[in-house]
Amino acid sequence: MNNLAEILEQELSAAVDVKDKQSLHRYAVILADNIVQRSIYEKSLLEIKNEIKFLAESMKQGFEAIDKRFEAVDKRFEDMYNYMNKRFEAIDKRFEDMYNLMNKRFEAVDKRFEAVDKRFEAVDKRFEDMNKRFSMMFTFMNIGFGIIILITVLFKFLQ
């Protein structure tokens, strides 16, 4: 850097009329200190590019890892979905079987009720028949008692 400051100081003093040599020297030193050497700049730029490449590569690897995890989670959810579908199908089949069994049992109960209804109809018919017999018997008894009373009254009247 000192060489650069000396070269700048000599070139400026040759190009411009210098009033204060120390001021020119300070200016050249400050300018030389603030100028970055090309090799340092290229080295720094190369380091930054390498770091950017490294970051890009690590981000790419991170995204690939995340994609793999999402694929694994998707597969897991798909497996769970298929498992749940199979379970629901099994439950549906169970309910269908239970429904069919209940229908068969209800049909059997309906047949029993039909048989019971037939028995009640038979009993009702028997009671109707007995009711007719008793009605006829009471009618004949009433007529018989009426005739007996009439004969008794006639005998009393004739006597």
Side-chain angles (χ1 to χ4, degrees):
M1 281 302 208
N2 286 335
N3 289 339
L4 181 62
E6 289 174 10
I7 292 170
L8 283 174
E9 189 177 342
Q10 287 173 2
E11 291 295 321
L12 279 172
S13 66
V16 181
D17 188 27
V18 179
K19 294 181 185 175
D20 187 5
K21 285 265 188 190
Q22 286 184 346
S23 178
L24 178 65
H25 179 73
R26 284 191 306 265
Y27 172 75
V29 170
I30 290 172
L31 187 60
D33 284 343
N34 288 326
I35 292 177
V36 178
Q37 289 181 354
R38 185 178 197 106
S39 63
I40 294 173
Y41 171 74
E42 288 175 353
K43 183 180 175 186
S44 172
L45 188 61
L46 186 62
E47 287 176 5
I48 290 172
K49 283 182 180 180
N50 288 338
E51 287 182 22
I52 289 173
K53 283 181 184 178
F54 177 74
L55 286 173
E57 186 63 32
S58 65
M59 284 176 60
K60 183 179 177 184
Q61 290 173 353
F63 286 137
E64 288 173 356
I66 288 172
D67 286 345
K68 287 179 183 177
R69 286 184 68 195
F70 277 131
E71 288 173 3
V73 168
D74 286 347
K75 175 144 178 41
R76 206 171 100 211
F77 277 121
E78 201 171 295
D79 292 344
M80 284 176 50
Y81 177 76
N82 291 334
Y83 175 73
M84 291 302 289
N85 275 345
K86 287 178 184 176
R87 295 233 6 224
F88 280 126
E89 287 171 3
I91 289 171
D92 286 346
K93 182 160 178 17
R94 258 183 62 206
F95 277 121
E96 202 171 294
D97 292 344
M98 286 173 55
Y99 177 77
N100 291 334
L101 179 66
M102 292 302 290
N103 275 346
K104 287 179 184 176
R105 287 185 178 173
F106 281 131
E107 288 172 2
V109 169
D110 285 345
K111 287 180 184 177
R112 287 181 184 167
F113 277 128
E114 288 174 6
V116 169
D117 282 346
K118 287 180 183 178
R119 286 172 130 182
F120 277 122
E121 288 173 3
V123 169
D124 284 347
K125 188 175 180 188
R126 278 182 40 207
F127 276 119
E128 286 176 8
D129 290 344
M130 287 178 66
N131 191 21
K132 284 181 185 177
R133 283 184 194 162
F134 281 121
S135 293
M136 287 184 68
M137 186 177 76
F138 285 128
T139 304
F140 285 131
M141 283 176 60
N142 283 336
I143 291 172
F145 281 127
I147 291 174
I148 292 174
I149 291 173
L150 184 67
I151 291 175
T152 307
V153 171
L154 281 174
F155 276 128
K156 281 266 183 179
F157 182 68
L158 290 174
Q159 266 187 5

